[in-house]
């Protein structure tokens, strides 16, 4: 015996979709920017206690890796669990803060990254996103900011791991960074 309710076909997929979502409401979250604005180059933190930076302002310049703009990069220090690293690579950890280094010099970016990581540790954040760009306007064959950032992060005491982001978060022009909790 056919079920009359089951035999009814929706007029369109859109109508069925709207019917299913009629009781939903938008999420009110400070992490979601409804205007779709790019993140500010200045980190957004408030009410945190400052402690002595882990690297004490030392910025490392030297032989950088020769990553290309489209090359996926990753690094993990000894310690983090494989499951946590897998979540980082899959983009499953919530990015608790974002910084964009576009249009910054290497010197300015070094200080910005250092301060950003220092504040992230002080705020007890776990995963942050650093957008460095792909270096398409660079006159060098390799992206300077990407390679220098890879070097800085490997030598930062509070960085447990990093890897290139998923395409929605900037792809090979951004890094997910797993920060040590102190």
């Amino acid at each position: 015996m056919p079920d009359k309710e089951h035999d009814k076909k929706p007029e369109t997929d859109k109508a069925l979709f709207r019917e299913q979502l009629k009781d939903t409401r938008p999420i009110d979250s400070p992490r979601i920017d409804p205007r779709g604005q790019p993140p500010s180059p200045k980190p957004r933190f408030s009410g945190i206690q400052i402690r002595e930076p882990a690297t004490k302002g030392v910025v490392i310049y030297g032989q950088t890796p020769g990553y290309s703009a489209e090359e996926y990069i990753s690094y993990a220090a000894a310690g983090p669990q494989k499951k946590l690293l897998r979540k980082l690579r899959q983009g499953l950890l919530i990015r608790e803060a974002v910084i964009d280094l576009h249009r910054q010099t290497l010197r300015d970016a070094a200080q910005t990254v250092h301060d950003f990581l220092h504040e992230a540790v002080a705020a007890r954040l776990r995963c942050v996103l650093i957008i460095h760009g792909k270096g398409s306007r660079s006159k060098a064959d390799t992206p300077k900011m990407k390679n220098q950032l890879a070097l800085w992060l490997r030598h930062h005491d509070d960085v447990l791991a990093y890897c290139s982001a998923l395409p929605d978060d900037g792809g090979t022009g951004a890094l997910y960074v797993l920060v040590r909790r102190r």
Side-chain angles (χ1 to χ4, degrees):
M1 183 168 204
D3 182 12
K4 289 182 181 177
E5 222 23 68
H6 194 309
D7 288 344
K8 289 183 181 176
K9 295 196 178 208
E11 294 176 18
T12 66
D13 287 340
K14 277 187 178 180
L16 177 61
F17 180 75
R18 286 189 180 123
E19 177 64 26
Q20 293 297 317
L21 295 178
K22 68 181 177 187
D23 296 326
T24 61
R25 58 184 173 81
I27 297 173
D28 184 28
S29 171
R31 292 186 187 158
I32 298 172
D33 187 353
R35 299 165 298 185
Q37 296 293 321
S40 166
K42 299 292 181 196
R44 292 175 287 184
F45 293 102
S46 61
I48 60 173
Q49 241 180 344
I50 301 298
R51 66 168 184 77
E52 194 60 30
T55 56
K56 295 185 172 60
V58 175
V59 176
I60 300 161
Y61 290 98
Q63 187 63 33
T64 59
Y67 298 122
S68 69
E70 296 299 326
E71 191 171 350
Y72 179 92
I73 63 174
S74 67
Y75 162 80
Q81 298 173 347
K82 288 182 182 180
K83 186 177 179 181
L84 187 60
L85 294 174
R86 186 171 44 250
K87 284 183 177 181
L88 181 71
R89 285 191 300 272
Q90 293 172 345
L92 298 176
L93 298 177
I94 296 172
R95 274 77 64 208
E96 298 170 294
V98 178
I99 191 161
D100 190 339
L101 302 177
H102 280 101
R103 294 179 178 71
Q104 288 195 21
T105 65
L106 287 177
R107 182 179 303 272
D108 291 342
Q111 187 62 50
T112 301
V113 168
H114 177 75
D115 293 345
F116 178 69
L117 291 174
H118 172 68
E119 291 178 13
V121 169
R124 299 189 45 83
L125 304 183
R126 187 60 163 167
C127 180
V128 297
L129 178 67
I130 300 177
I131 302 169
H132 53 76
K134 294 187 179 184
S136 56
R137 290 189 223 139
S138 175
K139 294 175 185 168
D141 292 339
T142 59
K144 288 180 182 179
M145 185 71 72
K146 178 179 185 173
N147 285 289
Q148 194 65 52
L149 184 60
L151 180 67
W152 296 334
L153 294 178
R154 282 178 191 248
H155 290 88
H156 197 287
D157 293 341
D158 292 319
V159 173
L160 295 174
Y162 64 81
C163 66
S164 294
L166 295 176
D168 287 349
D169 288 328
T172 57
L175 294 173
Y176 297 133
V177 180
L178 187 63
V179 181
R180 181 183 315 275
R181 285 190 175 160
R182 295 201 181 243

